[in-house]
Amino acid sequence: SSIGAQKDRVVTKEEWLQKWETGNIGFHKEQGHPLLQQYLDVLLNGRSGLRVFFPLCGKAVEMKWLADMGHSVVGVEVSEQALKEFFVEHNLPYCEEPVPEISGAKKLQSVSGNISLYCCSIYDLSSSIVGKFDGVWDRGALVAVNPGDRQRYVSLMITLMEKNSSYLLVTVSYDPNKHKGPPFYVPESEIQSLFG
């Protein structure tokens, strides 16, 4: 298949942490992602006060943007550095606490309480820990998880979604034989089979 070159690729947690440590974060958008602004109405669907999930959130500026609109934001990220940079760069006071259900995990929460960021593997989360969400902004998560973990990732995401939730997904299109990823190429047919 055309994605054969990427099928078995594995990016370790250590590799992701190193990207943050060395500032190799070309995936971070300082001004926020134009597609979220363009499709915000689709995500919100006329609703206010939503719970919005940011999988593999990094220090996405959109988290503050949505929180400032009155939504409650929850993110997950393996890099504690990324999460701390988010709060510092936005001058947001926050507190840290352990997550009793997840060994070694931390929750960094804005003092205002409307932004909660979990520092752990996304696969350690469940709806019993983080609840369910009205919206998901998947800007770079599906394309970042290892291809062999996609089914596991999508199965988890489905359990975190409320009945009427909106899921905005950004993917990238390119010749996977010329780039080993991440971001990984996820063909539309695979998105259909994963999410239904």
Side-chain angles (χ1 to χ4, degrees):
S1 81
S2 65
I3 57 165
Q6 292 185 352
K7 181 169 64 72
D8 301 320
R9 175 109 162 89
V10 172
V11 183
T12 64
K13 174 184 172 181
E14 288 66 33
E15 286 175 80
W16 283 114
L17 293 175
Q18 187 165 15
K19 284 178 186 291
W20 283 100
E21 284 162 23
T22 58
N24 180 13
I25 53 169
F27 46 82
H28 175 68
K29 294 213 180 312
E30 294 287 342
Q31 303 307 316
H33 202 290
L35 286 172
L36 181 58
Q37 292 163 6
Q38 188 178 340
Y39 291 100
L40 184 63
D41 293 347
V42 175
L43 183 68
L44 302 181
N45 196 14
R47 303 170 296 168
S48 58
L50 301 188
R51 292 192 82 233
V52 183
F53 187 53
F54 280 67
L56 314 190
C57 61
K59 57 177 182 175
V61 298
E62 298 91 335
M63 295 189 290
K64 180 167 189 316
W65 189 55
L66 282 170
D68 287 347
M69 284 181 209
H71 303 290
S72 174
V73 170
V74 175
V76 63
E77 168 62 50
V78 295
S79 170
E80 187 175 347
Q81 176 184 340
L83 300 180
K84 288 184 170 176
E85 286 179 11
F86 168 79
F87 287 109
V88 169
E89 289 171 12
H90 294 286
N91 296 314
L92 286 172
Y94 68 96
C95 48
E96 262 181 60
E97 59 187 55
V99 182
E101 305 91 332
I102 307 170
S103 173
K106 287 182 182 177
K107 177 169 86 169
L108 286 66
Q109 187 169 38
S110 62
V111 170
S112 58
N114 58 352
I115 302 174
S116 302
L117 306 181
Y118 288 80
C119 185
C120 60
S121 163
I122 189 166
Y123 304 115
D124 289 334
L125 293 183
S126 65
S127 59
S128 65
I129 298 170
V130 294
K132 293 196 176 219
F133 298 95
D134 307 301
V136 177
W137 171 237
D138 187 335
R139 198 287 295 200
L142 180 65
V143 297
V145 300
N146 293 321
D149 290 333
R150 277 183 199 145
Q151 186 61 64
R152 178 184 182 199
Y153 170 80
V154 170
S155 298
L156 169 66
M157 294 308 290
I158 289 169
T159 68
L160 297 179
M161 293 166 65
E162 292 284 10
K163 284 274 182 279
N164 298 325
S165 96
S166 305
Y167 195 110
L168 284 190
L169 172 67
V170 178
T171 60
V172 285
S173 185
Y174 63 84
D175 178 350
N177 297 308
K178 294 197 168 107
H179 178 64
K180 63 181 182 164
F184 296 109
Y185 171 63
V186 187
E188 196 160 339
S189 58
E190 187 172 354
I191 293 167
Q192 293 293 336
S193 68
L194 286 168
F195 286 97

